[in-house]
Amino acid sequence: MNREISKKQRNILTASACLIVLLLVYLGNMLIPPTSGMSMMFTVLEKGAIYALVAVSMNLLNGFTGLFSLGQAGFMLIGAYTYAVLSIPAASRDSVYQYFDGGLIKFSIPEIFSNALGSMLGETGAVIGEYIGMLIPMILAGILAAIVAFLIGIPVLRLKSDYLAIATLGFAEILRAFFQWNALGSITNGSNILRSFSTYSTPLFPVIISGICIVFIILLINSSYGRAFKAIRDDEIAAEAMGVNLFRHKQWSFVISSFFAGIGGALLAMFQNSIASTPFTSNMTYELLLIVVIGGIGSVTGSIIGSFLFVACSEWWLRFLDAGSFLGMDFAFMRPGFRKVVFAVIIMLIVLFYRQGIMGTKEFSWNGFIVFFRNLPLKIKNLGKKHKKNTDIEKEAR
């Protein structure tokens, strides 16, 4: 019996699974009240989707091309600020840029599209126009991050291993200080917070945008460029001997990864409803690197799973450890910050028992998924036989 399913069937199963997930998210957002404890699930879903996009973009560079870069937080910073600056309504700019005479830029792209379509189609057109207007600065955020990556990639991509990591990490820290410079305050608002910009109203938005971007990355990985990236990762000398232009492909990988990191930064700005350069430290890059390692370096599926597990543990599942009590009982050692200790232990256990990450270099496969469940009854039956055999041996020994 042929257990393999065709490419058409795989595509149908994937599309159906995506539609079911989106439908569940939509219904859950409609039915679960914000005051419910389950509402935290949507926070995990939104932030997890954003982190999944950035982690996959980082894995494209670190896992599939073999370039050890630690500048992801810097490119997210560029994307977040680009989106926020281009999306603050004109009426709010004086209050946001109160120390810089209302700022240099006086327009809002979402506001322009909302007014234009609103005048033609009414209230529905205004909503559609605002979402279209949100997509444009988001794409511009990715493009600006890609341009900066192209420029700094010219010198730093000639470095290797730890030197490249140090150079990109230093770039991210310099960029964070640069955005806080008061000379750029009319654009970046200096060290002050940017707020009041357009944000999404449904958790479906970051899930859909992140999903589309991840699909593009998967298509790239499976293309001739993706195969060249993997060849560079495995053996640069052999890849060059086969005609792969090392520097050009490294630069493309660096630029594309930065483009999607910029989009992830824009989504993070919308998720937080305000933005400042302070959170975009090296700790954010380390978190993303940790997600990639937990999921599996060289696995898109692993980065996605690792992102949701990381966000769920840090934002939801382990929160009770900071409360000081569990199941009505008080514990002296359960105090604010204790969840971070437990989280660190969990990470250590994952690294010890899954040294290549949860997925390693493997990806989710519908064939493997179906075969697993087909063979599950047989595995359970064999497990029962093995247990019975061990029991009989113990009886004989007695």
Side-chain angles (χ1 to χ4, degrees):
M1 179 179 178
N2 185 16
R3 295 179 182 273
E4 295 290 326
I5 58 176
S6 66
K7 184 177 180 180
K8 183 179 179 181
Q9 289 174 321
R10 291 199 301 269
N11 292 336
I12 292 174
L13 285 171
T14 303
S16 301
C18 292
L19 289 175
I20 291 171
V21 170
L22 293 176
L23 180 61
L24 290 175
V25 173
Y26 176 78
L27 293 175
N29 188 46
M30 295 290 293
L31 299 176
I32 298 176
T35 55
S36 171
M38 289 299 293
S39 63
M40 193 64 188
M41 178 176 61
F42 296 104
T43 300
V44 172
L45 186 67
E46 294 171 49
K47 192 173 181 180
I50 297 167
Y51 269 49
L53 170 58
V54 183
V56 170
S57 72
M58 190 176 191
N59 210 348
L60 172 66
L61 193 61
N62 291 21
F64 290 95
T65 315
L67 298 176
F68 189 29
S69 171
L70 294 177
Q72 217 71 358
F75 298 116
M76 291 178 68
L77 174 64
I78 294 174
Y81 266 82
T82 302
Y83 176 82
V85 168
L86 296 176
S87 303
I88 298 174
S92 302
R93 288 191 174 270
D94 287 336
S95 61
V96 174
Y97 290 93
Q98 56 181 325
Y99 302 109
F100 299 99
D101 298 326
L104 182 64
I105 298 175
K106 303 295 183 182
F107 63 88
S108 166
I109 295 178
E111 191 174 46
I112 292 171
F113 277 84
S114 179
N115 293 336
L117 291 182
S119 61
M120 292 187 294
L121 303 175
E123 186 176 349
T124 304
V127 175
I128 295 173
E130 185 175 10
Y131 273 98
I132 293 174
M134 288 162 61
L135 292 175
I136 292 175
M138 189 187 308
I139 295 172
L140 292 175
I143 291 173
L144 183 58
I147 291 172
V148 174
F150 177 82
L151 294 175
I152 71 162
I154 295 173
V156 303
L157 290 179
R158 303 185 187 278
L159 303 172
K160 293 183 179 180
S161 188
D162 298 343
Y163 299 103
L164 175 60
I166 293 169
T168 51
L169 182 63
F171 155 75
E173 290 298 317
I174 292 170
L175 191 65
R176 187 167 62 89
F178 183 72
F179 271 72
Q180 292 178 319
W181 188 24
N182 281 337
L184 292 175
S186 58
I187 299 176
T188 64
N189 207 22
S191 58
N192 303 300
I193 295 175
L194 287 175
R195 61 184 188 278
S196 301
F197 46 81
S198 298
T199 61
Y200 56 83
S201 57
T202 170
L204 283 173
F205 186 82
V207 173
I208 292 173
I209 297 298
S210 297
I212 292 172
C213 292
I214 290 172
V215 168
F216 274 108
I217 295 175
I218 293 173
L219 293 175
L220 173 66
I221 291 170
N222 293 327
S223 69
S224 58
Y225 269 93
R227 290 190 289 273
F229 294 158
K230 294 174 186 177
I232 294 172
R233 175 197 63 190
D234 295 336
D235 192 327
E236 288 192 6
I237 297 175
E240 190 173 24
M242 290 188 297
V244 175
N245 188 318
L246 296 182
F247 180 77
R248 188 183 69 181
H249 282 84
K250 286 180 180 179
Q251 193 169 49
W252 270 115
S253 178
F254 193 55
V255 167
I256 294 169
S257 173
S258 302
F259 172 81
F260 288 111
I263 291 180
L267 288 172
L268 186 63
M270 284 186 271
F271 170 74
Q272 294 178 343
N273 292 318
S274 63
I275 205 69
S277 60
T278 307
F280 292 88
T281 61
S282 56
N283 287 337
M284 179 177 286
T285 299
Y286 297 149
E287 286 181 355
L288 295 168
L289 181 61
L290 181 63
I291 289 171
V292 173
V293 172
I294 289 174
I297 298 177
S299 171
V300 173
T301 309
S303 295
I304 296 171
I305 294 172
S307 298
F308 284 102
L309 287 177
F310 178 87
V311 175
C313 287
S314 59
E315 300 285 343
W316 187 16
W317 293 341
L318 301 180
R319 283 285 181 181
F320 72 93
L321 295 173
D322 291 347
S325 61
F326 180 62
L327 298 177
M329 296 181 288
D330 295 331
F331 296 93
F333 58 85
M334 292 175 64
R335 60 187 67 183
F338 182 64
R339 64 185 172 89
K340 294 183 179 180
V341 177
V342 176
F343 189 45
V345 173
I346 293 172
I347 292 170
M348 289 173 60
L349 292 174
I350 291 174
V351 172
L352 285 172
F353 292 100
Y354 296 90
R355 295 189 178 183
Q356 292 186 334
I358 296 171
M359 294 295 294
T361 57
K362 298 178 181 179
E363 301 289 356
F364 173 80
S365 169
W366 282 112
N367 282 319
F369 182 77
I370 292 172
V371 168
F372 173 80
F373 278 99
R374 280 176 177 172
N375 294 337
L376 189 60
L378 182 62
K379 289 181 179 180
I380 295 173
K381 184 178 180 181
N382 291 336
L383 187 64
K385 289 181 178 179
K386 185 177 180 181
H387 176 71
K388 185 177 183 299
K389 183 178 179 181
N390 292 337
T391 305
D392 293 339
I393 292 173
E394 289 177 2
K395 287 180 178 179
E396 290 178 3
R398 290 173 185 172

